[in-house]
Amino acid sequence: MRLRCLVAFTLFAILACTAAPALSREARLTFGFAGVKQLHYTATLIALDRLRDRGYEPVSVFFPRPELAAQALIRGEVDLARLDSITASNVIARGAQISMVAAPGLSEWVLVTPKTIATPQALARRRIAVHSVSSMSNGVVQYAIKKHRIADPQILIIPGSPARAQALLQGEIDATSLFLIDAIRLQMLAPDRFHILVDFKDLPVVDSVVVARREWLAGRQPEVQDFVRVLLETHRRITAGAEWAVARTLHLFPDQDPAFVAAAVRAYAARGIWDVNGGIGGLTKAPEMVRFLKTLEMLPASASENREDYTDLQHLQAVLARIGRK
């Protein structure tokens, strides 16, 4: 009797294993954002939502500062994170074992001022707000200061592009670096008061990057490539017809003004910020980006200029080999 029970149990275990083979990937995918939930994350948020169609359970975690998102990634609290390239480059230069695997956003930064300020030089000794010392927000401001020789500006720290736009609207600052999306919102709120003084779309820097721990990447090829593929397919669908993304964005941000959402998504699509090739062009030129950041003193002079120290592009390249480049 005991033998029959043992045989039955063994057969049951074998059948159970046969009926439910071990998955080759993890279904849960935790993604960290280096800021509060905001519209410029739209394409990435849509992509994460679409991963559900591939059987994933995506979880988005929003951190108030880039440094906190980077720390969470390094500690293994999130699987992937979207950081600005300055934060990512700095933590890598300090020895963090993480790599950039794709770029979800090319340059979307602008410097916004009241229309009464007509030239960058007029910002001498004025109050300019940035997100944090180590952020891309500060990086583009430092670039403008050097390029246009802005004398003795007062640099203030105000985390969050929407918060800085509000401070500008209230007259608490004289200028700030904003995501294009927040510049659009500000101009819609006060069309006759503000303008884009400097546009940073041609900087030799990939704006935002998706990063992951190298140890995690080594054993998670299916997850990484699934995410990258869905991200690129999302970017391409938005580029082909922004109205689809407008509808998805309104679902993600139901409290936003529909006219503003439509204007913002169309502007991002037209400008190509959500790159259809995942930023491969900029990421392969990582040494140029590192040298540029060094000139702004946003990276230590001793930082490596070896691309492999910053990027792991095999997953992006594999996806592009399957779906083609645009």
Side-chain angles (χ1 to χ4, degrees), residues 166-184:
Q166 186 65 26
L168 189 61
L169 184 65
Q170 295 175 351
E172 297 170 355
I173 56 176
D174 302 300
T176 186
S177 51
L178 296 177
F179 293 126
L180 177 62
I181 213 158
D182 294 308
I184 292 170

Side-chain angles (χ1 to χ4, degrees), residues 57 66 68 76 83 121 151 158 194 227 239-240 254 280 287 322 326:
E57 181 190 345
L68 296 178
L83 303 177
Q121 291 76 18
I158 302 179
F194 303 99
F227 168 76
T239 301
I280 188 71
R322 291 199 298 271
K326 292 283 188 177

